[in-house]
Amino acid sequence: MASRKEGTGSAATSSSSTTGAAGKGKGKGGSGDSAVKQVQIDGLVVLKIIKHYQEEGQGTEVVQGVLLGLVVEDRLEITNCFPFPQHTEDDADFDEVQYQMEMMRSLRHVNIDHLHVGWYQSTYYGSFVTRALLDSQFSYQHAIEESVVLIYDPIKTAQGSLSLKAYRLTPKLMEVCKEKDFSPEALKKGNITFEHMFEEVPIVIKNSHLINVLMWELEKKAAVADKHELLSLASSHLGKTLQLLMDRVDEMSQDIVKYNTYMRNTSKQQQQKHQYQQRRQQENMQRQSRGEPPLPEEDLSKLFKPHQPPARMDSLLIAGQINTYCQNIKEFTAQNLGKLFMAQALQEYNS
Amino acid sequence: MATPAVPPSTPPAAPTETPAAASDPAPAPAPASVSAPAPAPVPAATPAPASSSDPAAAAATTAAPGQTPASAPAPAQAPAQSLPGPALPGPFPGGRVVRLHPVILASIVDSYERRNEGAARVIGTLLGTVDKHSVEVTNCFSVPHNESEDEVAVDMEFAKNMYELHKKVSPNELILGWYATGHDITEHSVLIHEYYSREAPNPIHLTVDTSLQNGRMSIKAYVSTLMGVPGRTMGVMFTPLTVKYAYYDTERIGVDLIMKTCFSPNRVIGLSSDLQQVGGASARIQDALSTVLQYAEGVLSGKVSADNTVGRFLMSLVNQVPKIVPEDFETMLNSNINDLLMVTYLANLTQSQIALNEKLVNL
């Protein structure tokens, strides 16, 4: 497929975000010059995000928070973060902006970087490509050029390895969002496919020397992990992901049906218009031949009201979400295949 | 939804100045710190891990003006002694274990690194939950303070504000005490401890030694107890507590990853991808296995004395690999592999479908 070539570019970043140097080289699959080529996170931020989700966000609720840091050349350094309270029903008069201002003012007193550089969100099985996320990230990126959204997947992390990804909107998508025009023509003009909506930025984790000392200290004192989740052969989460995927595909097919109906209606309408015009012309010719004044020109657009084209943004989002699910599934199956072969080797050795 | 906002430039709140002379603790917390650890058993109350009792004893001071109101309930100690001691108010019914999460320590170290010029140490508030046997510290924030030879100023207004903000996110967290970086407990610590005893019953004091004395970053926790002769001015002694580290599962995974920066030259690591992670985990198990193998060989050759419990563990370890009839295992393996392959195929198919759809729509 033609579009897969660009797709593999972005897939390469998500599956090979190893060292910073390699990441810088491959950057993002073919999406021009972005302000941020790498995200550097402090260990502290990772721990805080994990803790926030663990304590406050069980179930399908998403937890969110703000990232603080600074921008150094083409690198975005995230040095601290603070959580956002969840939207509770009984707290309608809670002022988010005020909370944020107070928090940042207070943090400034203790010399914590108070520059807002992005936000983080937890996700349920990888379903984060929603309209809400798009809008938020757009407003962030509009105000602050280099902002990113960090997506933390707690379920995948519990399976054995930290799953933290940083996303930005591609410049093309930013353009389209600015226009706020999501009709098919505008999107075609912008040449946006679902693979070009978000770009993933490689992440590295950096710690200061003193934190390294702390880590050594902890390693001496804390017990060794007794659970090695990563090597477990269970694939219970696969079922859930597949189910979510099926739901999305259903939505997608509905969307396609809607689009098809629209296309069919428009083409039918075109035909009708054409016929009407022809009839008109014929009548006019007849009238002319009879010497009567021609009929007035009527506004065709009033007679045949054009159909409203369905918004394409939703289907783009759904396609993007399906893509993410598929990526996750493939990663998971790759790992499990590896584990199965290891188990086979173990058995062969035994028998 | 979170929206970006530019922080305003307002002047900081004025710290509440409190010279050493004019401290005025409310009478309510004073009985709280007096009741069960009655003066006589105080030396005996120091629990077994007395390794840090030296700095604790050295830090017992009699900040006389600060303690005068405490001597007022001294006559009340006689009736307190006669009571057989209901459960201690505050977080220590007798368990005396403090469970720390790693995020706290990382936070403390980070705020130490960002301290103001000339400040020798930083202090802050500890937040967390209390349960029957232990105290779990889950969050913290640093509080600006000024410290000089003869006076200490802590911005309690700031501390209260931050606590309110934090409560909005996690309403279950209470103020448990405070932390300070540095090696010793100083005289000022006593005063600060007093401020905090107004906020929380029987607060904990945590020290993190960022100056790396003894080549280690020692992390200790204390609670204050009164000591002295009844009827006279009471002093305060910090008795040490056991510190344990508590991890959520995900936290442990996060810490393992972050720990890897210790080994890389410029302290930077990237996040690894699918098969690399499996490789890493198997490497770890391989290391563990080789340690065990070494031990077994040592025992066999007589260099190391055999330990029966270890032997039993090894026995159960070896027996854990299930013995399955080879044909059955083949079938199981094949069906699992087929399942996974099918799912991969479906995922790829779906991806190509949506790509096609995209193309068609854009025609």
Side-chain angles (χ1 to χ4, degrees), chain A residues 347 351, chain B residues 323-333:
Chain A
Q347 274 294 324
S351 58
Chain B
K323 286 201 177 41
I324 314 179
V325 178
E327 293 85 26
D328 284 351
F329 183 75
E330 278 293 315
T331 358
M332 279 200 294
L333 186 73

Side-chain angles (χ1 to χ4, degrees), chain A residues 17 51 108 205 207-208 323, chain B residues 8 113 138 267 269 271 322 351:
Chain A
S17 48
K51 169 208 176 284
R108 202 155 44 125
I205 298 189
N207 277 334
S208 66
N323 198 25
Chain B
E113 287 174 347
T138 51
R267 312 185 312 268
I269 51 162
L271 297 181
Q351 271 183 319

